[in-house]
């Protein structure tokens, strides 16, 4: 049975997660998966250095998302009040600390963010490479993962209704993913939401211009910005 977490933005919740990650590199398994993204999306801000294991894990997942994204399935980890990641890949999050990310990349393109690779990780990587080589199949193309910033009109906008309005948009080839509210100042919060699209069916620009910023959704949404756009 998959583990469940709650109150991850409280001291008690972070302490429980820190203890859980004491002997783990990832939330489940030996590679980053949807389970890691579910927990990552549930955290409203980066953990403080007080939570050593959570900070190590958070920085690693953040770096992976900046570089290449996460595609592994996971085991169905749940967080109270947050929907689990349901699509195979998600978008790269906004670069909140681009200088740090750039420094990491400049140091060494092949840097191991957790230190030395374990025998289990090496074995899993070798098995995946062998399976791909044997099948001769290429990674499925034609999909993209996107991270949107959706901004309200003011601090009086009902953000719950705003998110409901955004998710009410249904199109063939469009799948909404994890989301969270991010403070922008003066009591105003924006919605950050992940989505996956089939490139031949959905244009993100058209989605914004003809769906998300017109009536009736523009009652709540002032504007939308594409934060990250990655081919899957």
């Amino acid at each position: 049975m998959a583990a469940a977490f709650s109150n991850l933005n409280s001291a008690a919740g972070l302490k429980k997660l820190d203890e859980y990650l004491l002997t783990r590199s990832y939330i489940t398994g030996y590679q980053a998966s949807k389970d890691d993204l579910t927990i990552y999306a549930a955290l409203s801000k980066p953990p403080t250095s007080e939570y050593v294991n959570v900070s190590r894990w958070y920085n690693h997942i953040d770096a992976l998302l900046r570089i290449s994204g996460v595609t592994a399935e996971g085991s169905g980890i749940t967080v109270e009040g947050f929907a689990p990641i349901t699509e195979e890949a998600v978008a790269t999050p906004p670069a909140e600390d681009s200088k740090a990310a750039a420094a990491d990349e400049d140091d060494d393109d092949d840097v191991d963010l957790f230190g030395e690779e374990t025998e289990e990780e090496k074995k899993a990587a070798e098995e995946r490479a062998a399976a791909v080589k044997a099948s001769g199949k290429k990674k499925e193309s034609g999909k993209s993962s996107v991270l949107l910033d959706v901004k309200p009109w003011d601090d009086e906008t009902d953000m719950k209704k705003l998110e409901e309005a955004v998710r009410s948009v249904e199109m063939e080839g469009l799948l909404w993913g994890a989301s969270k509210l991010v403070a922008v100042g003066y009591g105003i919060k924006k919605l950050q939401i992940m989505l996956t699209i089939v490139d031949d069916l959905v244009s993100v620009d058209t989605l914004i211009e003809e769906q998300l910023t017109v009536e009736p959704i523009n009652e709540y949404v002032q504007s939308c910005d594409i934060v990250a756009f990655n081919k899957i």
Side-chain angles (χ1 to χ4, degrees):
M1 182 176 178
F5 294 90
S6 62
N7 303 318
L8 285 180
N9 294 300
S10 69
L14 284 170
K15 182 179 179 181
K16 178 181 178 181
L17 181 60
D18 196 66
E19 293 172 350
Y20 179 84
L21 288 169
L22 177 63
T23 58
R24 297 174 173 87
S25 295
Y26 301 102
I27 299 300
T28 56
Y30 298 104
Q31 61 177 317
S33 71
K34 291 180 187 176
D35 292 337
D36 295 278
L37 297 180
T38 296
I39 302 299
Y40 180 93
L43 294 171
S44 61
K45 60 182 179 181
T48 63
S49 57
E50 174 186 357
Y51 304 100
V52 177
N53 302 310
V54 180
S55 295
R56 164 184 55 77
W57 165 85
Y58 184 96
N59 292 333
H60 180 56
I61 298 303
D62 190 64
L64 285 179
L65 288 170
R66 294 174 194 278
I67 297 168
S68 60
V70 173
T71 59
E73 283 292 334
S75 301
I77 289 291
T78 59
V79 179
E80 182 179 327
F82 288 84
I85 301 297
T86 55
E87 185 62 17
E88 288 186 356
V90 297
T92 302
E96 295 176 352
D97 189 355
S98 57
K99 290 183 179 179
D104 288 341
E105 292 178 16
D106 290 342
D107 286 343
D108 188 350
D109 289 340
D110 297 322
V111 63
D112 183 345
L113 298 171
F114 270 119
E116 209 170 301
E117 192 175 31
T118 67
E119 288 300 320
E120 291 87 352
E121 289 169 334
K122 290 179 181 178
K123 184 177 179 180
E126 290 170 357
E127 289 175 350
R128 289 196 300 273
V132 171
K133 185 176 180 180
S135 65
K137 293 181 180 179
K138 295 183 178 180
K139 187 178 180 181
E140 182 181 345
S141 60
K143 289 185 179 181
S144 297
S145 57
V146 185
L147 182 67
L148 281 185
D149 269 358
V150 184
K151 300 174 183 176
W153 287 102
D154 51 39
D155 61 342
E156 296 182 357
T157 300
D158 188 325
M159 296 304 292
K160 182 177 180 181
K161 290 184 178 179
L162 179 147
E163 181 170 355
E164 289 174 352
V166 169
R167 290 185 181 276
S168 71
V169 176
E170 296 182 355
M171 301 172 62
E172 184 180 0
L174 168 65
L175 182 67
W176 297 105
S179 65
K180 64 180 177 180
L181 297 179
V182 179
V184 296
Y186 303 101
I188 300 175
K189 293 183 178 181
K190 63 183 177 181
L191 174 72
Q192 280 192 343
I193 188 166
M194 297 174 179
L195 57 144
T196 301
I197 62 171
V198 176
D199 297 332
D200 292 340
L201 300 177
V202 180
S203 163
V204 179
D205 289 334
T206 301
L207 173 65
I208 293 172
E209 294 171 5
E210 298 183 3
Q211 298 283 347
L212 298 178
T213 54
V214 298
E215 294 182 351
I217 297 179
N218 64 359
E219 177 183 351
Y220 307 103
V221 175
Q222 185 221 24
S223 62
C224 297
D225 295 315
I226 299 173
V227 178
F229 192 112
N230 295 314
K231 295 292 184 183
I232 297 175

